[in-house]
């Protein structure tokens, strides 16, 4: 079993839900690292990787140990993670919330919760660890899109935002080791500007035939819960963490006072959704593209992905993908 006190991983037989989900140990084609960003995991020294991915030096000591364990063994599954969601982690998650953020179905705001913050976080932590914590439905709101349509956003209850933020911090310590260098969306220390810079570098330094801009239609609304949980099980074996994620996915949506069940998708606006989206796309897109460009593409492929948007490009017998 994993050493719970230190959050070390247990070597467990990996779940493999299907072809293409196994983590490839092969390296990326030579030359792609310079245009895509951080190279294939393992290609750069540990100290440099720490600076260029999650700024791991800023991690709390307990999560830095988790991060280092994930780095040492890329097939390890972590059995003891929830204990990292302590009062200190909940406090960090609370401090990351926007003070003017809209309230969820509980009506609680950052300012009202902060009035007795220590007491609230102590009680929340106790409920999390005694399995009395239950997420509330997500309040749905709509914001206008550039094309005239509306984008649905989910606003979780305040305590759900806090717990999700703390769990996401723990999982980021693991998944920042696994995520590929061409993934830029919703990652610590990364920004849309860096994605654009990587794409610009690729376009300016290569002889390009074409560029493809791709967007996954209604991605956040259509994520399959079953596959997502199976993908998470490649790395996460803590049933309490997986159970909390399942509860967040199944908490339902309150739209104009009417509750509806959520059978698929992960709400945009939820604190855990960006990480879950990156995990899903890591398995169904990133690893597939990496394998395809090594084994089947006639030329070299470069890809830059930001969340569910990507753009491939090609030069004479060479393709560049950017998202």
């Amino acid at each position: 079993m994993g050493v719970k006190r230190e959050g070390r991983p247990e070597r467990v037989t990996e779940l493999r839900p299907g072809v293409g989900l196994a983590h490839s140990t092969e390296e990326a084609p030579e030359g792609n690292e310079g245009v895509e960003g951080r190279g294939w995991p393992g290609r750069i020294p540990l100290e440099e990787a720490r600076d260029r991915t999650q700024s791991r030096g800023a991690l709390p000591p307990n999560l830095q140990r988790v991060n280092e364990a994930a780095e040492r063994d890329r097939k390890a599954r972590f059995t003891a993670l929830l204990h990292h969601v302590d009062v200190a982690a909940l406090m960090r998650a609370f401090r990351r919330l926007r003070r003017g953020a809209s309230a969820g179905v509980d009506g609680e705001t950052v300012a009202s919760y902060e009035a007795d913050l220590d007491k609230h976080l102590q009680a929340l932590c106790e409920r999390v660890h005694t399995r009395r914590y239950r997420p509330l439905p997500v309040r749905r709101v709509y914001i206008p899109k550039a094309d005239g349509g509306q984008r649905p956003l989910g606003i979780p209850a305040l305590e759900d935002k806090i717990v999700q933020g703390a769990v996401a911090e723990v999982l980021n310590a693991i998944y920042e080791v696994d995520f590929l260098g061409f993934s830029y969306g919703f990652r610590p220390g990364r920004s849309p500007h860096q994605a654009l810079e990587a794409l610009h570098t690729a376009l300016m330094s290569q002889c390009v035939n074409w560029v493809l801009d791709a967007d996954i239609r209604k991605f956040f609304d259509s994520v399959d819960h079953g596959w997502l949980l199976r993908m998470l099980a490649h790395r996460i074996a803590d049933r309490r963490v997986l159970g909390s994620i399942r509860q967040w996915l199944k908490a339902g949506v309150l739209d104009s006072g009417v509750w509806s069940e959520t059978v698929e998708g992960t709400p945009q606006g939820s604190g855990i959704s960006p990480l879950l989206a990156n995990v899903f796309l890591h398995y169904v897109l990133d690893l597939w593209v990496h394998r395809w460009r090594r084994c089947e593409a006639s030329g070299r492929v470069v890809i830059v992905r930001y969340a569910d948007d990507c753009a491939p490009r090609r030069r004479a017998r060479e393709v560049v993908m950017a998202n």
Side-chain angles (χ1 to χ4, degrees), residues 105-106 124 133-138 156-165 248 251 270-272:
V105 298
D106 58 345
L124 177 59
Y133 163 73
R134 292 291 183 273
L136 295 175
V138 170
L158 186 71
E159 288 194 333
D160 293 335
K161 294 179 184 178
I162 295 171
V163 180
Q164 288 179 14
W248 290 324
S270 167
I272 196 73

Side-chain angles (χ1 to χ4, degrees), residues 10-22:
E10 176 187 1
R11 283 289 295 167
V12 181
T13 301
E14 282 194 290
L15 302 178
R16 296 186 182 275
V19 177
L21 295 184

Side-chain angles (χ1 to χ4, degrees), residues 68-89:
E68 291 167 354
E71 182 99 48
R72 285 194 303 270
D73 189 345
R74 298 181 186 277
K75 292 186 179 293
R77 299 176 65 216
F78 289 77
T79 60
L81 291 174
L82 192 64
H83 67 286
H84 294 296
V85 182
D86 53 17
V87 173

Side-chain angles (χ1 to χ4, degrees), residues 25 82 87 123 130-131 141 152 162 194 275 280-281 296 321:
T25 58
L82 192 64
V87 173
T130 57
R131 303 190 180 185
V141 298
I162 295 171
Q194 291 174 322
L275 174 64
F280 196 91
L281 290 170
E296 300 183 36
M321 300 186 68

Side-chain angles (χ1 to χ4, degrees), residues 116-313:
D116 204 351
L117 183 58
D118 290 339
K119 181 180 178 180
H120 286 149
L121 292 183
Q122 288 283 355
L124 177 59
C125 186
E126 182 180 352
R127 279 187 280 124
V128 167
H129 289 280
T130 57
R131 303 190 180 185
R132 292 185 293 114
Y133 163 73
R134 292 291 183 273
L136 295 175
V138 170
R139 183 170 72 90
R140 173 152 294 170
V141 298
Y142 297 89
I143 60 173
K145 297 172 61 176
D147 61 4
Q150 289 188 315
R151 183 188 305 277
L153 291 182
I155 303 178
L158 186 71
E159 288 194 333
D160 293 335
K161 294 179 184 178
I162 295 171
V163 180
Q164 288 179 14
V167 171
E169 182 183 53
V170 176
L171 298 186
N172 267 326
I174 298 169
Y175 282 106
E176 276 299 301
V177 171
D178 295 347
F179 291 155
L180 306 193
F182 57 70
S183 169
Y184 285 87
F186 310 122
R187 292 180 59 187
R190 294 195 165 213
S191 69
H193 298 288
Q194 291 174 322
L196 290 173
E197 182 181 354
L199 181 58
H200 179 268
T201 299
L203 292 171
M204 294 298 102
S205 63
Q206 309 292 325
C207 181
V208 180
N209 272 13
W210 52 262
V211 176
L212 173 64
D213 181 14
D215 183 8
I216 303 175
R217 185 176 60 182
K218 295 184 177 180
F219 168 72
F220 283 90
D221 297 330
S222 59
V223 171
D224 185 284
H225 292 172
W227 276 106
L228 174 59
L229 290 167
R230 292 168 75 179
M231 292 168 185
L232 287 166
H234 277 278
R235 275 297 219 174
I236 312 302
D238 189 323
R239 293 183 179 181
R240 297 173 300 170
V241 170
L242 293 175
S244 293
I245 293 173
R246 184 181 295 106
Q247 287 181 334
W248 290 324
L249 293 173
K250 302 294 186 183
V253 171
L254 200 65
D255 190 346
S256 300
V258 178
W259 180 86
S260 59
E261 182 183 9
T262 47
V263 296
E264 62 181 1
T266 176
Q268 295 188 66
S270 167
I272 196 73
S273 288
L275 174 64
L276 298 182
N278 273 334
V279 170
F280 196 91
L281 290 170
H282 172 73
Y283 284 104
V284 302
L285 179 63
D286 297 355
L287 294 180
W288 170 76
V289 167
H290 178 66
R291 180 176 179 82
W292 171 77
R293 69 182 178 182
R294 291 192 65 258
C295 301
E296 300 183 36
S298 60
R300 198 176 72 185
V301 176
V302 175
I303 178 170
V304 178
R305 179 175 69 78
Y306 191 89
D308 59 330
D309 295 310
C310 68
R313 100 186 170 195

